[in-house]
């Protein structure tokens, strides 16, 4: 189920929640500033979704302690384990999914070329890397397409959105960057069955 969010205007309550979680941490990377954010957006032909946009400009641009396990990346970086020789990330291309996709379900129905083309677009189109939990588990913030503003976990098994109604998702919680960060700050498991 797709949840509609306001990704155009930063809700003061969300900004306050993010400040509470991140600003007081001594290991927090200082905010990038509005000039850096606008330059990045112009270079990639995108507008970062709120409240993430205001967060990196005014609150914090990374946190080694997380979320996720290996830290929240500065907004223009990829994790060290992302790998060399990967296709160019096309942030302005719409993120192709609107619901979870477990690779096993389609692996046999698609040719190898079709499968790779589809999975490559999931990894590389329309999303910004937030960080990794290791073992090829990457958290993405969708920046273009119908899922703009949602956070997704993409790994060797598939792509799953964070934050839908309990009982309807592997990762129930409040959707969006603030919901994801708050979930982490409260020490909750990402998965419903854990």
């Amino acid at each position: 189920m797709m949840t509609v969010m306001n990704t155009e205007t930063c809700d003061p309550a969300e900004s306050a929640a993010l400040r509470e979680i991140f600003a007081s941490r001594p290991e927090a990377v200082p905010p990038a500033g509005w000039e850096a954010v606008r330059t990045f957006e112009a270079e990639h032909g995108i507008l970062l979704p709120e409240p993430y946009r205001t967060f990196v400009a005014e609150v914090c641009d990374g946190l080694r302690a997380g979320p996720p396990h290996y830290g929240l990346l500065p907004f223009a970086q990829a994790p060290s384990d992302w790998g060399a020789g990967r296709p160019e990330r096309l942030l302005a291309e719409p993120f192709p999914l609107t619901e979870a996709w477990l690779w096993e379900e389609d692996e046999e129905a698609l040719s190898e070329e079709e499968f790779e083309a589809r999975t490559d677009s999931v990894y590389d189109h329309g999303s910004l890397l937030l960080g990794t939990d290791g073992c090829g588990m990457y958290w993405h913030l969708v920046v273009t397409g119908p899922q703009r503003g949602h956070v997704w976990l993409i790994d060797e098994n598939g792509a799953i959105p964070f934050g839908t109604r309990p009982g309807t998702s592997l990762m129930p919680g409040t959707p969006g960057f603030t919901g994801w960060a708050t979930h982490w700050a409260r020490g909750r498991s990402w998965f419903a069955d854990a």
Side-chain angles (χ1 to χ4, degrees):
M1 179 185 132
M2 190 164 67
T3 303
V4 177
M5 293 183 252
N6 179 0
T7 59
E8 304 305 314
T9 307
C10 187
D11 179 336
E14 286 189 87
S15 185
L18 291 168
R19 282 183 195 284
E20 185 176 321
I21 293 168
F22 293 96
S24 65
R25 294 178 180 262
E27 71 277 19
V29 176
W34 284 107
E35 183 177 338
V37 168
R38 289 182 184 112
T39 299
F40 178 82
E41 291 173 334
E43 287 174 1
H44 292 280
I46 63 164
L47 184 66
L48 293 172
E50 291 290 0
Y52 181 78
R53 184 175 194 252
T54 297
F55 170 76
V56 296
E58 297 181 0
V59 179
C60 172
D61 188 23
L63 181 68
R64 221 177 151 169
H69 183 73
Y70 289 98
L72 179 64
L73 292 168
F75 77 96
Q77 292 186 10
S80 60
D81 67 344
W82 187 245
R86 294 187 59 97
E88 179 184 358
R89 296 190 45 73
L90 303 173
L91 302 185
E93 288 292 319
F95 183 74
L97 302 178
T98 56
E99 58 186 47
W101 178 33
L102 302 179
W103 310 145
E104 294 174 353
E105 295 173 359
D106 286 339
E107 195 169 15
E108 293 177 18
L110 300 171
S111 73
E112 186 175 332
E113 293 80 22
E114 291 171 322
F115 180 76
E116 284 184 25
R118 188 161 181 216
T119 56
D120 284 351
S121 69
V122 171
Y123 276 101
D124 295 319
H125 290 179
S127 67
L128 187 72
L129 288 158
L130 294 174
T132 180
D133 274 327
C135 299
M137 298 172 67
Y138 300 102
W139 290 96
H140 295 243
L141 174 67
V142 177
V143 297
T144 51
Q147 285 285 292
R148 185 171 187 269
H150 288 265
V151 175
W152 284 64
L153 175 65
I154 304 172
D155 66 14
E156 66 183 13
N157 300 307
I160 304 168
F162 173 80
T164 55
R165 292 188 322 252
T168 64
S169 172
L170 296 172
M171 289 190 287
T174 303
F177 181 74
T178 304
W180 179 74
T182 301
H183 194 89
W184 167 79
R186 291 180 179 157
R188 294 184 177 158
S189 169
W190 296 121
F191 299 96
D193 59 350

